[in-house]
Amino acid sequence: MKALSAELAQRREASLYRTPRVLESAQGPTVRISGKTYLSFCSNDYLGLANHPKVIEALKEGTSRYGVGSGAAHLVTGHSTPHHALEEELAEFTGRQRALLFSTGYMANIGTISALVGRGDTVFEDRVNHASLLDGALLSQARLQRFPHKDIDALERHLATHHDKRKLVVTDGVFSMDGDIAPLPDLATLSRHYGAWLMVDDAHGLGVVGNHGAGSLSRHGLNSDDAPILVGTLGKAFGTFGAFVAGDEALIETLIQKARTYIYTTAIPPAIAHATRASLRLVKEEHWRRRHLEKLVKRFRDGARQLGTTLLESATPIQPLIIGEAADALSLSESLKEKGILITAIRPPTVAKGSARLRITFSANHKSGDIDRLLETLQPLL
Ligand SMILES: *Cc1c(COP(=O)(O)O)cnc(C)c1O
C-alpha cells in the first residue's frame, strides 16, 4: 500500500493529519488523557447530560429490563417499547405528528434525502452544510446545487432556474462549525414559493435554542408547514446516542418504507432509547442549563472582544476562533494543550481552506471560572 503511505505523508506535511485521542474519563468539562487532566472545550455535550446521574440510572434500568442489544432491525423484531415511547415523546417535543428513530444522524440524513428525491430531482444545499447532508444528496442521484453560506438571493436564482420534478432545500439549523443559525424564515418562504420541501438538520439546535430547547425552528415560530422535514440527533445536547426524523404521517410512513438506512440496520439498543427518555425530560425541564450556557457564551464573547479577537456572529455554544492556516490552528491547539486546555483544531476539508479554526464549545457543566481560565490562557498565545 505504498500509494497510501505517500498520500498519508503528504497529509502530515500539510498539517491535515488527524488522530483520535484516547479519553480515560467520562465526557465532561474536564477529561483525562494519558493520566493528565484537561479543561475541555470541544465536546457537543452542550447541556452536560452525557454523564448525568439520572441518565446513567435510566440506562442501567433499561439494560436490566431489555438487555443490551436490540437484536434486529426495527422492521424485524428490533423495535421495542422504549423505542416506541421515545418516538412518541420526540414527536410531541418537536410539535409534529410522528418521529422515527435512526441509529445515527449520518444515517438519518443519507436515508431521508435518498428516500425523498432521486434522478430528475434537485437538492439545494448551503455550502457549509454537514457532510452527511451532502453525502445524502450525492447518494440520492438527484442533482446537487450548492449555494454560498446563507445566501438567500443565490438560492432564489437557483430555485427559479431549476424545473425539476422535486425540489428539496436542505440546511443545518445551527451550523456545526460556525455556530450561526440558518435564515430559516427566509428559507421557508422561498421553499414554499418555489414548491420545494425544506429539510432542517437541527443537530446543534435541539435542546439548546428555542422554547424548552425545541430548536432553531421553534425559535422563529416555524412549524411543520414551514419545514416539513426535521432531523435531530441524540448524541449531542441529549447526551446519549442515535437520531430521529420528525414530520407528518406521510413523511414518516415513506421513510419506513423507503429509507434504506432505517430498513437495513440494527435498531439502537433499547436501553439507549430508555436513557434518552430520561435525558429528554431533563432537556425540557431544566431551563437553567440553557440560561447558564447563554451566560457562559456572553462572558466568553465579552472577554474575547477585550483581547481584540474577532469572533463569528454566533449566539450558540459553538464559538469558533478562526485562525486561517491549518498549521497555525494546530500549533495553537498544541500550545493550549501544554497549558492544560483541550480544544481541537478543525481543519480542511471539514472547513474551507484558509479558515482552519479552534472550535470552542461550551457545556452547561462549565463554570464561569473555566471561561476566565480559557481567556487568560489564550491571551498570550494570540
Ligand atoms: C453530528 C452531526 C450529524 C451526525 O450525527 P451523528 O448522530 O453523530 O451521526 C448530522 N448533522 C449535523 C449537523 C451534525 O452536526
Side-chain angles (χ1 to χ4, degrees):
M1 310 232 90
K2 257 214 179 93
L4 297 185
S5 307
E7 200 181 292
L8 288 172
Q10 220 169 21
R11 258 179 203 252
R12 212 184 278 275
E13 191 69 19
S15 301
L16 297 177
Y17 203 84
R18 307 172 183 211
T19 28
R21 294 185 168 83
V22 183
L23 257 66
E24 295 154 359
S25 62
Q27 189 58 266
T30 57
V31 296
R32 207 173 49 246
I33 297 170
S34 305
K36 218 180 137 194
T37 300
Y38 295 90
L39 182 57
S40 164
F41 295 96
C42 46
S43 87
N44 299 316
D45 180 25
Y46 304 118
L47 298 182
L49 299 179
N51 190 29
H52 191 286
K54 284 189 179 160
V55 182
I56 295 170
E57 197 46 48
L59 184 70
K60 287 182 184 162
E61 186 181 82
T63 52
S64 60
R65 280 194 211 164
Y66 307 101
V68 177
S70 68
H74 284 280
L75 291 173
V76 184
T77 53
H79 189 67
S80 55
T81 316
H83 294 117
H84 202 70
L86 177 60
E87 287 180 339
E88 287 182 342
E89 289 165 4
L90 288 169
E92 200 215 335
F93 176 60
T94 55
R96 282 155 194 255
Q97 284 176 358
R98 300 268 304 269
L100 188 71
L101 287 175
F102 281 77
S103 295
T104 69
Y106 215 112
M107 293 169 74
N109 284 336
I110 61 179
T112 300
I113 296 174
S114 50
L116 296 179
V117 293
R119 246 185 258 281
D121 302 327
T122 303
V123 182
F124 302 85
E125 297 215 21
D126 190 293
R127 191 160 278 286
V128 309
N129 273 356
H130 190 262
S132 58
L133 295 169
L134 297 165
D135 287 356
L138 295 173
L139 190 68
S140 75
Q141 307 204 48
R143 187 206 310 259
L144 170 60
Q145 178 65 63
R146 299 170 80 182
F147 56 91
H149 186 44
K150 297 203 288 193
D151 189 338
I152 288 292
D153 296 331
L155 172 61
E156 175 152 32
R157 283 194 298 278
H158 292 310
L159 279 166
T161 52
H162 283 82
H163 300 286
D164 307 273
K165 277 196 316 230
R166 284 182 182 173
K167 299 178 188 184
L168 178 65
V169 174
V170 182
T171 186
D172 281 22
V174 171
F175 288 92
S176 55
M177 295 301 135
D178 291 25
D180 53 341
I181 298 181
L184 294 167
D186 290 342
L187 291 172
T189 306
L190 267 191
S191 301
R192 184 175 299 121
H193 185 262
Y194 288 95
W197 291 324
L198 176 58
M199 169 171 171
V200 177
D201 173 354
D202 213 12
H204 301 273
L206 284 163
V208 179
V209 300
N211 271 341
H212 299 267
S216 28
L217 285 164
S218 90
R219 184 173 172 272
H220 289 287
L222 300 172
N223 59 29
S224 177
D225 296 330
D226 304 300
I229 308 140
L230 171 63
V231 179
T233 62
L234 304 171
K236 289 168 182 159
F238 289 82
T240 60
F241 186 79
F244 66 96
V245 177
D248 72 7
E249 188 74 21
L251 171 71
I252 299 305
E253 283 303 317
T254 299
L255 295 180
I256 293 173
Q257 311 311 314
K258 292 177 66 182
R260 293 163 65 84
T261 55
Y262 173 78
I263 301 168
Y264 299 108
T265 201
T266 302
I268 57 169
I272 291 284
H274 192 69
T276 306
R277 297 181 66 197
S279 99
L280 176 57
R281 281 192 287 278
L282 295 167
V283 166
K284 287 197 290 196
E285 287 162 13
E286 300 203 336
H287 301 296
W288 69 264
R289 292 179 187 274
R290 282 176 286 276
R291 281 201 300 270
H292 181 61
L293 268 176
E294 277 167 24
K295 273 194 211 138
L296 296 177
V297 167
K298 182 169 184 315
R299 194 179 188 92
F300 174 72
R301 291 186 69 88
D302 289 348
R305 227 172 271 130
Q306 280 176 12
L307 298 186
T309 58
T310 19
L311 295 170
L312 295 183
E313 269 316 308
S314 163
T316 69
I318 304 170
Q319 294 291 328
L321 205 58
I322 307 292
I323 304 300
E325 292 309 314
D328 297 336
L330 202 58
S331 99
L332 180 54
S333 168
E334 278 159 10
S335 306
L336 284 167
K337 193 168 176 228
E338 277 163 26
K339 298 192 157 43
I341 291 189
L342 195 67
I343 307 175
T344 39
I346 306 285
R347 293 158 285 162
T350 307
V351 293
K353 228 175 157 175
S355 77
R357 64 195 65 187
L358 296 191
R359 180 178 179 267
I360 299 170
T361 56
F362 301 120
S363 147
N365 284 347
H366 279 121
K367 301 196 165 45
S368 306
D370 296 335
I371 308 291
D372 299 343
R373 186 172 152 209
L374 168 63
L375 289 164
E376 281 157 22
T377 314
L378 269 174
Q379 184 171 23
L381 298 173
L382 291 174

PDB file of all heavy atoms in Angstrom, residues 156-175:
ATOM      1  N   GLU A 156     -32.449  31.696  -4.384  1.00  0.00           N
ATOM      2  CA  GLU A 156     -33.634  32.031  -5.178  1.00  0.00           C
ATOM      3  C   GLU A 156     -33.343  31.941  -6.671  1.00  0.00           C
ATOM      4  O   GLU A 156     -34.147  31.414  -7.442  1.00  0.00           O
ATOM      5  CB  GLU A 156     -34.167  33.428  -4.822  1.00  0.00           C
ATOM      6  CG  GLU A 156     -35.324  33.818  -5.743  1.00  0.00           C
ATOM      7  CD  GLU A 156     -36.317  34.766  -5.122  1.00  0.00           C
ATOM      8  OE1 GLU A 156     -35.893  35.598  -4.293  1.00  0.00           O
ATOM      9  OE2 GLU A 156     -37.518  34.681  -5.474  1.00  0.00           O
ATOM     10  N   ARG A 157     -32.159  32.444  -7.083  1.00  0.00           N
ATOM     11  CA  ARG A 157     -31.804  32.340  -8.504  1.00  0.00           C
ATOM     12  C   ARG A 157     -31.786  30.879  -8.946  1.00  0.00           C
ATOM     13  O   ARG A 157     -32.301  30.536 -10.005  1.00  0.00           O
ATOM     14  CB  ARG A 157     -30.435  32.988  -8.770  1.00  0.00           C
ATOM     15  CG  ARG A 157     -30.484  34.510  -8.809  1.00  0.00           C
ATOM     16  CD  ARG A 157     -29.203  35.094  -9.404  1.00  0.00           C
ATOM     17  NE  ARG A 157     -28.009  34.772  -8.628  1.00  0.00           N
ATOM     18  CZ  ARG A 157     -27.629  35.442  -7.529  1.00  0.00           C
ATOM     19  NH1 ARG A 157     -28.354  36.465  -7.093  1.00  0.00           N
ATOM     20  NH2 ARG A 157     -26.537  35.103  -6.874  1.00  0.00           N
ATOM     21  N   HIS A 158     -31.221  30.018  -8.117  1.00  0.00           N
ATOM     22  CA  HIS A 158     -31.168  28.594  -8.473  1.00  0.00           C
ATOM     23  C   HIS A 158     -32.574  27.993  -8.520  1.00  0.00           C
ATOM     24  O   HIS A 158     -32.911  27.241  -9.430  1.00  0.00           O
ATOM     25  CB  HIS A 158     -30.318  27.804  -7.481  1.00  0.00           C
ATOM     26  CG  HIS A 158     -28.859  28.137  -7.546  1.00  0.00           C
ATOM     27  ND1 HIS A 158     -28.155  28.169  -8.723  1.00  0.00           N
ATOM     28  CD2 HIS A 158     -27.969  28.439  -6.557  1.00  0.00           C
ATOM     29  CE1 HIS A 158     -26.890  28.486  -8.464  1.00  0.00           C
ATOM     30  NE2 HIS A 158     -26.756  28.657  -7.163  1.00  0.00           N
ATOM     31  N   LEU A 159     -33.382  28.315  -7.521  1.00  0.00           N
ATOM     32  CA  LEU A 159     -34.735  27.746  -7.468  1.00  0.00           C
ATOM     33  C   LEU A 159     -35.546  28.172  -8.684  1.00  0.00           C
ATOM     34  O   LEU A 159     -36.346  27.403  -9.220  1.00  0.00           O
ATOM     35  CB  LEU A 159     -35.457  28.190  -6.181  1.00  0.00           C
ATOM     36  CG  LEU A 159     -35.109  27.415  -4.906  1.00  0.00           C
ATOM     37  CD1 LEU A 159     -35.607  28.161  -3.678  1.00  0.00           C
ATOM     38  CD2 LEU A 159     -35.682  26.003  -4.934  1.00  0.00           C
ATOM     39  N   ALA A 160     -35.319  29.408  -9.119  1.00  0.00           N
ATOM     40  CA  ALA A 160     -36.095  29.935 -10.237  1.00  0.00           C
ATOM     41  C   ALA A 160     -35.689  29.287 -11.560  1.00  0.00           C
ATOM     42  O   ALA A 160     -36.480  29.246 -12.497  1.00  0.00           O
ATOM     43  CB  ALA A 160     -35.921  31.449 -10.310  1.00  0.00           C
ATOM     44  N   THR A 161     -34.444  28.800 -11.630  1.00  0.00           N
ATOM     45  CA  THR A 161     -33.997  28.270 -12.922  1.00  0.00           C
ATOM     46  C   THR A 161     -34.060  26.745 -13.032  1.00  0.00           C
ATOM     47  O   THR A 161     -33.872  26.202 -14.103  1.00  0.00           O
ATOM     48  CB  THR A 161     -32.547  28.724 -13.244  1.00  0.00           C
ATOM     49  OG1 THR A 161     -31.740  28.396 -12.113  1.00  0.00           O
ATOM     50  CG2 THR A 161     -32.480  30.216 -13.494  1.00  0.00           C
ATOM     51  N   HIS A 162     -34.287  26.051 -11.907  1.00  0.00           N
ATOM     52  CA  HIS A 162     -34.391  24.590 -11.982  1.00  0.00           C
ATOM     53  C   HIS A 162     -35.860  24.189 -12.082  1.00  0.00           C
ATOM     54  O   HIS A 162     -36.659  24.592 -11.257  1.00  0.00           O
ATOM     55  CB  HIS A 162     -33.774  23.926 -10.744  1.00  0.00           C
ATOM     56  CG  HIS A 162     -32.283  23.908 -10.786  1.00  0.00           C
ATOM     57  ND1 HIS A 162     -31.520  24.987 -10.417  1.00  0.00           N
ATOM     58  CD2 HIS A 162     -31.413  22.943 -11.152  1.00  0.00           C
ATOM     59  CE1 HIS A 162     -30.229  24.686 -10.553  1.00  0.00           C
ATOM     60  NE2 HIS A 162     -30.137  23.457 -11.002  1.00  0.00           N
ATOM     61  N   HIS A 163     -36.166  23.401 -13.098  1.00  0.00           N
ATOM     62  CA  HIS A 163     -37.573  22.993 -13.243  1.00  0.00           C
ATOM     63  C   HIS A 163     -37.697  21.485 -13.137  1.00  0.00           C
ATOM     64  O   HIS A 163     -38.205  20.813 -14.010  1.00  0.00           O
ATOM     65  CB  HIS A 163     -38.135  23.506 -14.570  1.00  0.00           C
ATOM     66  CG  HIS A 163     -38.081  25.000 -14.643  1.00  0.00           C
ATOM     67  ND1 HIS A 163     -38.930  25.818 -13.934  1.00  0.00           N
ATOM     68  CD2 HIS A 163     -37.228  25.830 -15.293  1.00  0.00           C
ATOM     69  CE1 HIS A 163     -38.608  27.076 -14.153  1.00  0.00           C
ATOM     70  NE2 HIS A 163     -37.580  27.115 -14.977  1.00  0.00           N
ATOM     71  N   ASP A 164     -37.175  20.962 -12.034  1.00  0.00           N
ATOM     72  CA  ASP A 164     -37.178  19.519 -11.875  1.00  0.00           C
ATOM     73  C   ASP A 164     -38.471  19.075 -11.216  1.00  0.00           C
ATOM     74  O   ASP A 164     -39.250  19.879 -10.732  1.00  0.00           O
ATOM     75  CB  ASP A 164     -35.988  19.100 -11.026  1.00  0.00           C
ATOM     76  CG  ASP A 164     -34.714  19.670 -11.594  1.00  0.00           C
ATOM     77  OD1 ASP A 164     -34.124  19.037 -12.452  1.00  0.00           O
ATOM     78  OD2 ASP A 164     -34.364  20.805 -11.189  1.00  0.00           O
ATOM     79  N   LYS A 165     -38.626  17.759 -11.194  1.00  0.00           N
ATOM     80  CA  LYS A 165     -39.836  17.193 -10.582  1.00  0.00           C
ATOM     81  C   LYS A 165     -39.954  17.625  -9.136  1.00  0.00           C
ATOM     82  O   LYS A 165     -40.896  18.278  -8.739  1.00  0.00           O
ATOM     83  CB  LYS A 165     -39.749  15.653 -10.643  1.00  0.00           C
ATOM     84  CG  LYS A 165     -40.187  15.078 -11.985  1.00  0.00           C
ATOM     85  CD  LYS A 165     -40.468  13.582 -11.865  1.00  0.00           C
ATOM     86  CE  LYS A 165     -39.425  12.857 -11.075  1.00  0.00           C
ATOM     87  NZ  LYS A 165     -38.815  11.676 -11.561  1.00  0.00           N
ATOM     88  N   ARG A 166     -38.954  17.238  -8.332  1.00  0.00           N
ATOM     89  CA  ARG A 166     -38.997  17.586  -6.916  1.00  0.00           C
ATOM     90  C   ARG A 166     -37.815  18.462  -6.549  1.00  0.00           C
ATOM     91  O   ARG A 166     -36.706  18.274  -7.044  1.00  0.00           O
ATOM     92  CB  ARG A 166     -38.948  16.320  -6.066  1.00  0.00           C
ATOM     93  CG  ARG A 166     -40.261  15.588  -6.045  1.00  0.00           C
ATOM     94  CD  ARG A 166     -40.167  14.377  -5.150  1.00  0.00           C
ATOM     95  NE  ARG A 166     -41.409  13.645  -5.149  1.00  0.00           N
ATOM     96  CZ  ARG A 166     -41.584  12.463  -4.564  1.00  0.00           C
ATOM     97  NH1 ARG A 166     -40.580  11.893  -3.934  1.00  0.00           N
ATOM     98  NH2 ARG A 166     -42.758  11.869  -4.601  1.00  0.00           N
ATOM     99  N   LYS A 167     -38.078  19.389  -5.638  1.00  0.00           N
ATOM    100  CA  LYS A 167     -37.006  20.250  -5.155  1.00  0.00           C
ATOM    101  C   LYS A 167     -36.946  20.114  -3.646  1.00  0.00           C
ATOM    102  O   LYS A 167     -37.970  20.213  -2.971  1.00  0.00           O
ATOM    103  CB  LYS A 167     -37.294  21.713  -5.499  1.00  0.00           C
ATOM    104  CG  LYS A 167     -37.413  21.975  -6.995  1.00  0.00           C
ATOM    105  CD  LYS A 167     -37.749  23.435  -7.234  1.00  0.00           C
ATOM    106  CE  LYS A 167     -38.060  23.638  -8.707  1.00  0.00           C
ATOM    107  NZ  LYS A 167     -38.312  25.047  -9.028  1.00  0.00           N
ATOM    108  N   LEU A 168     -35.737  19.910  -3.142  1.00  0.00           N
ATOM    109  CA  LEU A 168     -35.548  19.763  -1.704  1.00  0.00           C
ATOM    110  C   LEU A 168     -34.472  20.758  -1.266  1.00  0.00           C
ATOM    111  O   LEU A 168     -33.340  20.705  -1.744  1.00  0.00           O
ATOM    112  CB  LEU A 168     -35.107  18.317  -1.394  1.00  0.00           C
ATOM    113  CG  LEU A 168     -34.818  17.960   0.062  1.00  0.00           C
ATOM    114  CD1 LEU A 168     -36.083  18.056   0.919  1.00  0.00           C
ATOM    115  CD2 LEU A 168     -34.230  16.543   0.153  1.00  0.00           C
ATOM    116  N   VAL A 169     -34.854  21.685  -0.388  1.00  0.00           N
ATOM    117  CA  VAL A 169     -33.884  22.641   0.157  1.00  0.00           C
ATOM    118  C   VAL A 169     -33.432  22.099   1.506  1.00  0.00           C
ATOM    119  O   VAL A 169     -34.262  21.757   2.357  1.00  0.00           O
ATOM    120  CB  VAL A 169     -34.521  24.038   0.325  1.00  0.00           C
ATOM    121  CG1 VAL A 169     -33.549  24.994   1.021  1.00  0.00           C
ATOM    122  CG2 VAL A 169     -34.943  24.600  -1.035  1.00  0.00           C
ATOM    123  N   VAL A 170     -32.106  22.000   1.690  1.00  0.00           N
ATOM    124  CA  VAL A 170     -31.578  21.361   2.900  1.00  0.00           C
ATOM    125  C   VAL A 170     -30.603  22.296   3.613  1.00  0.00           C
ATOM    126  O   VAL A 170     -29.714  22.872   2.981  1.00  0.00           O
ATOM    127  CB  VAL A 170     -30.837  20.054   2.538  1.00  0.00           C
ATOM    128  CG1 VAL A 170     -30.341  19.364   3.799  1.00  0.00           C
ATOM    129  CG2 VAL A 170     -31.739  19.113   1.744  1.00  0.00           C
ATOM    130  N   THR A 171     -30.775  22.415   4.932  1.00  0.00           N
ATOM    131  CA  THR A 171     -29.858  23.273   5.693  1.00  0.00           C
ATOM    132  C   THR A 171     -29.632  22.738   7.095  1.00  0.00           C
ATOM    133  O   THR A 171     -30.494  22.060   7.653  1.00  0.00           O
ATOM    134  CB  THR A 171     -30.424  24.714   5.781  1.00  0.00           C
ATOM    135  OG1 THR A 171     -29.436  25.556   6.403  1.00  0.00           O
ATOM    136  CG2 THR A 171     -31.705  24.781   6.608  1.00  0.00           C
ATOM    137  N   ASP A 172     -28.474  23.040   7.658  1.00  0.00           N
ATOM    138  CA  ASP A 172     -28.269  22.872   9.099  1.00  0.00           C
ATOM    139  C   ASP A 172     -29.157  23.926   9.774  1.00  0.00           C
ATOM    140  O   ASP A 172     -29.325  25.020   9.220  1.00  0.00           O
ATOM    141  CB  ASP A 172     -26.819  23.211   9.491  1.00  0.00           C
ATOM    142  CG  ASP A 172     -25.800  22.105   9.187  1.00  0.00           C
ATOM    143  OD1 ASP A 172     -26.075  21.249   8.332  1.00  0.00           O
ATOM    144  OD2 ASP A 172     -24.721  22.136   9.809  1.00  0.00           O
ATOM    145  N   GLY A 173     -29.695  23.643  10.957  1.00  0.00           N
ATOM    146  CA  GLY A 173     -30.426  24.662  11.728  1.00  0.00           C
ATOM    147  C   GLY A 173     -29.404  25.606  12.343  1.00  0.00           C
ATOM    148  O   GLY A 173     -29.380  26.807  12.081  1.00  0.00           O
ATOM    149  N   VAL A 174     -28.511  25.041  13.169  1.00  0.00           N
ATOM    150  CA  VAL A 174     -27.332  25.748  13.677  1.00  0.00           C
ATOM    151  C   VAL A 174     -26.149  25.136  12.942  1.00  0.00           C
ATOM    152  O   VAL A 174     -25.987  23.917  12.930  1.00  0.00           O
ATOM    153  CB  VAL A 174     -27.170  25.524  15.199  1.00  0.00           C
ATOM    154  CG1 VAL A 174     -25.839  26.079  15.687  1.00  0.00           C
ATOM    155  CG2 VAL A 174     -28.330  26.160  15.962  1.00  0.00           C
ATOM    156  N   PHE A 175     -25.346  25.960  12.299  1.00  0.00           N
ATOM    157  CA  PHE A 175     -24.240  25.427  11.509  1.00  0.00           C
ATOM    158  C   PHE A 175     -23.141  24.888  12.432  1.00  0.00           C
ATOM    159  O   PHE A 175     -22.689  25.597  13.329  1.00  0.00           O
ATOM    160  CB  PHE A 175     -23.719  26.481  10.534  1.00  0.00           C
ATOM    161  CG  PHE A 175     -24.698  26.718   9.418  1.00  0.00           C
ATOM    162  CD1 PHE A 175     -25.654  27.713   9.508  1.00  0.00           C
ATOM    163  CD2 PHE A 175     -24.712  25.878   8.304  1.00  0.00           C
ATOM    164  CE1 PHE A 175     -26.594  27.899   8.504  1.00  0.00           C
ATOM    165  CE2 PHE A 175     -25.645  26.055   7.302  1.00  0.00           C
ATOM    166  CZ  PHE A 175     -26.592  27.064   7.393  1.00  0.00           C
TER     167      PHE A 175
END
